[in-house]
Amino acid sequence: MPRLEIWLKALGLPVSPALVPLMCLQTAFFTPWLPSPTCYQVSRLTVWLMAIDNVLDAPQAPAESSPASTDAQVRSWHRILAGRENGSGSDDPMARALAEITEGIDNGSRPELNTIWRKSMHQTLRGMERERAAARTTAAGGRPPRLADYLTHGAWTIGVEQQVTALWALMDEPGLPHRLPVLRGALRQAAIAIRLLNDLRGHRREQHEGKADALTLGLSEQQAYQRAQSAIDDCRRTLAPLTAAGYGSAVALERVALWHARMYHRFDPVRPDRAVSAPLPGGPGPEATSHARHTPFVRPPKEAPPMSTGIDQEVLDAIAAGEEYDGGKLADLFDRLEPVDTALLVGTWQGGGFERTSENAALLAKMRWYGKRFVDAEHVEPLLCRDEQGAVFSYQEMGLATLREVVFHGKQSTAMVYDQLPIIDHFRRLTDDVLLCVMDKKGEPADFFFHLTRVPA
C-alpha cells in the first residue's frame, strides 16, 4: 500500500489516495498465492482504470472546453498499448503511468496473454468513448443507445476483464492459453454481471449526472438484479471443472467476480466514503437470511490441490473444455483412481460425456441432461434435466436411485443403483470436486463413461 500511494502521488493521477487500501486489498483477495510485486502490478492497473474513469467519464467531460485535448490523450494511450509510442517522457501523467504498467505486464513474458490484455485495454478506451458520445447525443435530444449495445460496451468499461487478463499474463501457469476459450466465455459473463450490479448501485448518482445505464435503457431493478445473478451463476458453472482442478487462472476469475459482486452490495466505489448497509435495489442485502439464494457466493477457498500429471490432467482438461476423450484410456484411468464414499457424493453435480455418437449419449442429449443430485444414501435424483427455458428440474419418469457399496473391477466403492432400471453408475475420484464415472447397463456391450463436477452450494 505505501508503494502504490507513493507511485500515485508522484505521478499526480486523478485518484483519491483513500482508495489505495481498497485497490491493494482486492488484488490480494484475487490471487493470494502470487508474490506482492505481481499484485502491485495489478493494483497499479486498477488505480489507472479508476483514473481514466475520472478523466473520461466525469460529469463535466462531455462539456469540456477542449474535447480535442482529451481525444489526443486517448489516441496517445492507444499508441502506447499498441507499442507505437513510449509515454515515459510525456507531459500526460496518465500516459507515463500506462507506459510503466504496460512494461511491468510485458515482463511476464507471456506474449499471447499480453496480447489479450492489450486488446481488453483498447476496448476499455473505445467503450468509454462510446459512453461519452452517447451522453453528448442524449443531452442534445438524440436517441440513447440500445440496451444490448450498452451492455456489450459497458462490460468493457467496468474494469473486470482488464484486471483478469492482466493476472493471466502475470501468472506462470502451464497450458493456460489452451484453456482460454472456456475462461474468456466465463469472463464475459462476469463482466456483464458486474456492469449490471454497478448500475444498480450507482443509478441515482448517474441519473443526477445525466448518464445512461441499464435501468434507464429498459431494465427494471429486479430484472437487472436477476440478470446479474444469472450471469454470475453461468460464469461459475463454466469455471467449475477448472477451479476444481486447482487452476489459478479460473480461481482468480471466480474471486474477481465474487469481490466485485459483494463490493457493490455494500457501497459505490466511486463514492467510497458513503458506505451503505441497505440492500441493492431489486435484491436483498448481503446479510439477509436468504443471501445464499440471491447473493453471488462461493464456498470458502481451500488450498488449490496439486496439479495432476499425465492422463489425469488430460482428462481434466477435456472435461473443462467439453471435449471428447478416448474410451480405452478412460478405462485404464478408471481402474487406477480411488473409490468414493457417500459423504463425498452428497450435493448437486453437473454432468457431461466424453463422446457424442453412442445411443446413451444421444438419449442424454435429447433429454437435456444436466446432472445428478445426491440427497442421501436413500434418495438420489439421477436425471436432473433442463426444460426449454433452461431451468433445471428432476426428471423422475425413470424413477429415482439409491447409493450402495458395490465391488466393481476389484474395488469396493459407493455406486448409484437405479430403483427401476437395470443400471448401476460407478464413480471414481479425479479430485474432490470432479468424478470419472461409468454406467454399467445390463445387456450393454460397452461401458459408457461420463463425468460429474460438483456444483457449489
Side-chain angles (χ1 to χ4, degrees):
M1 288 190 285
R3 185 181 177 190
L4 184 62
E5 189 170 355
I6 291 169
W7 181 78
L8 175 62
K9 289 181 177 178
L11 284 165
L13 298 182
V15 177
S16 170
L19 285 170
V20 166
L22 179 65
M23 301 300 99
C24 292
L25 288 170
Q26 68 170 276
T27 310
F29 178 82
F30 298 161
T31 50
W33 63 89
L34 292 182
S36 59
T38 302
C39 291
Y40 172 68
Q41 300 290 347
V42 179
S43 297
R44 286 199 306 182
L45 170 64
T46 305
V47 165
W48 194 85
L49 292 168
M50 294 288 291
I52 61 166
D53 199 47
N54 292 334
V55 170
L56 301 181
D57 198 32
Q60 71 273 16
E64 283 178 331
S65 58
S66 56
S69 174
T70 302
D71 292 341
Q73 274 185 296
V74 174
R75 288 194 296 272
S76 173
W77 301 340
H78 277 299
R79 289 194 296 272
I80 292 170
L81 289 167
R84 297 196 300 268
E85 183 177 306
N86 182 354
S88 57
S90 171
D91 293 334
D92 176 14
M94 295 292 294
R96 295 199 304 274
L98 180 58
E100 291 185 30
I101 292 166
T102 302
E103 182 182 7
I105 292 177
D106 281 347
N107 286 339
S109 300
R110 302 295 296 272
E112 68 275 45
L113 299 172
N114 292 349
T115 298
I116 292 172
W117 172 73
R118 287 171 185 261
K119 180 180 178 181
S120 77
M121 294 292 287
H122 285 299
Q123 288 175 330
T124 296
L125 298 176
R126 286 195 289 269
M128 287 191 170
E129 176 53 35
R130 284 176 176 269
E131 290 177 355
R132 294 173 67 216
R136 289 192 292 265
T137 300
T138 305
R143 294 181 62 182
R146 295 186 305 125
L147 177 63
D149 291 337
Y150 168 79
L151 288 178
T152 295
H153 302 113
W156 291 350
T157 63
I158 200 62
V160 170
E161 291 180 297
Q162 295 70 36
Q163 289 176 319
V164 172
T165 53
L167 285 167
W168 290 346
L170 292 165
M171 284 181 189
D172 184 19
E173 181 181 307
L176 196 162
H178 299 297
R179 292 180 280 281
L180 285 175
V182 176
L183 289 167
R184 294 180 74 177
L187 177 55
R188 170 77 347 194
Q189 292 297 321
I192 290 172
I194 303 310
R195 173 79 266 170
L196 290 166
L197 294 174
N198 170 278
D199 288 359
L200 281 166
R201 175 54 69 202
H203 177 60
R204 290 178 178 83
R205 169 178 54 78
E206 296 201 333
Q207 261 191 321
H208 177 73
E209 296 171 358
K211 298 174 184 174
D213 62 19
L215 302 184
T216 61
L217 296 177
L219 288 183
S220 69
E221 292 178 342
Q222 191 65 40
Q223 286 172 330
Y225 194 92
Q226 290 174 346
R227 192 162 175 174
Q229 180 68 68
S230 177
I232 288 283
D233 290 343
D234 287 344
C235 169
R236 293 180 55 219
R237 276 195 294 267
T238 300
L239 292 175
L242 294 175
T243 55
Y247 286 115
S249 53
V251 174
L253 170 50
E254 188 171 53
R255 291 172 76 86
V256 167
L258 173 63
W259 171 281
H260 286 289
R262 287 180 168 175
M263 178 176 69
Y264 285 118
H265 270 287
R266 287 163 172 78
F267 65 92
D268 181 354
V270 178
R271 300 287 185 270
D273 53 323
R274 301 179 186 175
V276 294
S277 57
L280 271 181
E287 308 308 326
T289 55
S290 60
H291 100 279
R293 176 183 173 188
H294 295 282
T295 305
F297 179 74
V298 294
R299 291 173 295 154
K302 56 188 178 183
E303 282 191 33
M307 293 294 179
S308 300
T309 58
I311 189 173
D312 307 51
Q313 195 58 56
E314 288 180 6
V315 172
L316 287 169
D317 288 344
I319 292 172
E323 297 174 345
E324 298 186 40
Y325 199 83
D326 179 74
K329 292 183 179 180
L330 290 173
D332 292 339
L333 175 62
F334 186 88
D335 288 342
R336 288 196 293 104
L337 294 175
E338 300 175 7
V340 302
D341 57 25
T342 300
L344 179 71
L345 289 172
V346 169
T348 302
W349 299 72
Q350 186 170 359
F354 292 99
E355 50 89 2
R356 303 180 180 91
T357 58
S358 69
E359 182 180 340
N360 289 316
L363 177 61
L364 292 175
K366 182 178 180 180
M367 295 173 65
R368 301 190 189 93
W369 181 61
Y370 172 82
K372 300 178 183 292
R373 181 182 294 117
F374 302 94
V375 179
D376 54 40
E378 300 301 321
H379 185 105
V380 178
E381 298 167 14
L383 296 171
L384 299 182
C385 300
R386 289 190 182 276
D387 62 20
E388 293 183 354
Q389 287 72 44
V392 176
F393 70 99
S394 179
Y395 180 85
Q396 298 189 8
E397 280 76 356
M398 297 182 182
L400 298 176
T402 56
L403 295 177
R404 294 291 184 265
E405 291 292 317
V406 176
V407 175
F408 183 72
H409 288 199
K411 288 185 181 177
Q412 181 169 312
S413 176
T414 299
M416 190 198 78
V417 182
Y418 278 82
D419 292 344
Q420 299 178 19
L421 299 173
I423 298 174
I424 300 177
D425 287 345
H426 302 275
F427 313 111
R428 296 291 187 267
R429 177 189 173 281
L430 271 165
T431 75
D432 283 346
D433 297 310
V434 183
L435 305 178
L436 178 60
C437 319
V438 62
M439 183 176 73
D440 181 17
K441 186 176 182 181
K442 187 175 182 179
E444 195 78 12
D447 294 328
F448 176 71
F449 287 95
F450 62 100
H451 52 83
L452 293 174
T453 298
R454 188 189 305 276
V455 177

